[in-house]
Amino acid sequence: MSIYVDFHVLQTVPPSCVNRDDTGSPKTAVYGGSVRARVSSQAWKHAMRKEFRGMFAEDDLGNRTKNVVQLVAQEMQSIDASLDEKKCLKKASDALKAAGISLKAKKEEIEKADALFFMSNRQAKEIARLACGDTADKNDFKKALKEYPSVDIALFGRMAASDPTLNYDAASQVAHAISTHAVQNEYDYFTAVDDISEDDNAGAGHLGTVEFNSSTLYRYANVNVSELRKTLDDAADVAVVVRKFAEAFIRSMPTGKENTFANRTFPDAVYVTIRMDQPVNLCGAFEKPVRASEDGYATESEKRLAAYAEKVYSRYAAEPKAAFCIGDALSDIAQQLSLPELLDTLESNLREQVSEA
């Protein structure tokens, strides 16, 4: 039996540039014929992984990096401090090549992976242990890199172009966040004063522009609990992992231009469902852009989300096995709770569902 958890979040962000494109402009997308504010899924997943660092033990997490040789070499020196750094780097390089990672280096530089590689801290430690022992063969290194996946690898997946057998399918999906309404980017023309300047100098020491927008975002993610359980193994407490995923998704915020705009906010509304059929993205609620009322965008967006969910359930999908919410307009379709209560209830419900699966 498959178990899916859907997360729907409405979040108002004040003037900000949370996620920039190659020109420095806030990212946008055309949806329903209107330009919407957009924050990429990659940006939000990175923010979630930063939140994970305060939630999980170090051995439960990983690093996405090209510096895999240095990572393993450092672990080797932790095992045996007497080992020479140069020797550790050579052994680490040989071990990772044997495991199936393609490495390259410019002249007199430490070898790096061809592309960013997602390696769990436990995998780095196991490869280091094998490399220190001088007895492992190629298959041992490959096995070490395939086993011991971290929580973030299990959730977000891993792709290794050099050796597809090292791949992991992601147990979660995170959508690009888009505004529920049309937006128009604006420009802030700013000047900076030189604190130590001539008294007769009335001009600015620096001037420039920064592009920004403000919006009420619809954010969506899901977790395939059954897939997560299979990847992590039966000993892992999957309910706790999903709870922490939920908390990280709800609380996190990408850090683009955060010192300029101080745009960190909490969501206006949260809707979480446990389903047994398939994940359901409810972005169709905002295909027709919300128009601002005297209550702004958030209140109308919440009403739209609730109405659209009921329409989808009546026409296509089954009612969720369980549903929880933060927000008044969603209380007709879900149990209304505070965030701590929602997380506790989600965890206990998942424990029950997983034990029955």
Side-chain angles (χ1 to χ4, degrees):
M1 181 174 63
S2 296
I3 304 170
Y4 304 96
V5 183
D6 282 342
F7 302 94
H8 311 269
V9 173
L10 294 171
Q11 186 163 359
T12 298
V13 182
S16 57
C17 187
V18 173
N19 188 206
R20 289 169 282 176
D21 65 16
D22 58 331
T23 67
S25 302
K27 288 185 177 180
T28 58
V30 175
Y31 183 61
S34 300
V35 176
R36 312 296 182 97
R38 177 173 66 91
V39 181
S40 73
S41 58
Q42 294 91 333
W44 227 297
K45 283 188 283 190
H46 180 70
M48 291 174 68
R49 288 182 56 226
K50 289 176 70 175
E51 291 282 327
F52 284 169
R53 292 173 190 170
M55 296 178 172
F56 292 97
E58 183 181 352
D59 279 356
D60 291 331
L61 297 174
N63 291 284
R64 182 182 283 115
T65 179
K66 290 184 178 182
N67 298 310
V68 287
V69 173
Q70 289 171 294
L71 201 63
V72 172
Q74 287 169 3
E75 293 294 345
M76 291 178 69
Q77 288 190 304
S78 296
I79 294 170
D80 186 351
S82 66
L83 288 172
D84 174 74
E85 180 183 4
K86 200 168 184 179
K87 186 176 181 181
C88 284
L89 289 170
K90 177 66 169 65
K91 282 178 169 286
S93 176
D94 291 343
L96 290 166
K97 287 176 181 176
I101 299 179
S102 178
L103 302 174
K104 63 180 180 181
K106 295 180 181 178
K107 190 175 181 181
E108 297 181 354
E109 285 187 355
I110 298 171
E111 287 185 298
K112 295 183 178 183
D114 287 345
L116 290 172
F117 186 79
F118 210 166
M119 180 186 290
S120 77
N121 292 326
R122 288 182 64 196
Q123 288 170 344
K125 289 179 179 179
E126 181 63 15
I127 290 173
R129 185 188 68 79
L130 292 169
C132 285
D134 291 322
T135 58
D137 63 23
K138 179 178 179 180
N139 292 329
D140 291 331
F141 290 117
K142 188 178 287 291
K143 183 180 178 182
L145 202 55
K146 182 63 179 175
E147 295 182 348
Y148 314 111
S150 58
V151 166
D152 41 5
I153 287 177
L155 284 167
F156 300 127
R158 180 172 77 186
M159 198 273 288
S162 58
D163 188 346
T165 65
L166 299 175
N167 290 354
Y168 276 99
D169 291 331
S172 72
Q173 299 173 336
V174 180
H176 289 235
I178 60 170
S179 63
T180 64
H181 52 88
V183 300
Q184 184 174 355
N185 287 349
E186 302 178 67
Y187 291 86
D188 174 33
Y189 170 81
F190 66 89
T191 62
V193 176
D194 187 333
D195 291 340
I196 305 175
S197 62
E198 300 296 332
D199 292 339
D200 61 351
N201 185 354
H206 175 76
L207 57 86
T209 59
V210 60
E211 199 169 352
F212 67 93
N213 59 38
S214 61
S215 62
T216 295
L217 297 169
Y218 169 68
R219 300 168 46 209
Y220 170 75
N222 66 61
V223 175
N224 183 333
V225 179
S226 306
E227 182 72 21
L228 181 64
R229 184 185 186 188
K230 184 169 61 177
T231 302
L232 289 179
D233 75 47
D234 290 335
D237 195 335
V238 175
V240 172
V241 173
V242 177
R243 177 206 174 107
K244 292 179 178 180
F245 177 95
E247 185 172 4
F249 183 64
I250 292 167
R251 289 184 178 274
S252 61
M253 172 69 70
T255 57
K257 289 285 186 180
E258 65 177 357
N259 291 341
T260 302
F261 293 104
N263 52 265
R264 192 75 181 248
T265 61
F266 277 118
D268 299 284
V270 176
Y271 178 47
V272 179
T273 64
I274 299 175
R275 308 189 59 83
M276 303 300 178
D277 49 359
Q278 68 170 62
V280 179
N281 186 323
L282 298 175
C283 64
F286 312 110
E287 194 271 340
K288 179 181 178 181
V290 171
R291 291 187 177 275
S293 68
E294 60 181 13
D295 295 322
Y297 291 114
T299 300
E300 180 59 29
S301 296
E302 190 179 341
K303 293 176 182 175
R304 285 267 200 102
L305 182 64
Y308 187 79
E310 288 186 305
K311 183 167 71 173
V312 169
Y313 300 154
S314 66
R315 294 180 179 179
Y316 299 104
E319 291 280 343
K321 184 78 173 179
F324 323 107
C325 75
I326 303 170
D328 296 335
L330 295 165
S331 59
D332 289 342
I333 59 171
Q335 181 183 359
Q336 191 172 16
L337 303 165
S338 66
L339 178 56
E341 291 170 338
L342 186 150
L343 296 172
D344 287 343
T345 306
L346 173 63
E347 181 183 343
S348 62
N349 201 297
L350 280 177
R351 284 184 190 279
E352 182 180 336
Q353 298 298 333
V354 170
S355 66
E356 294 176 356

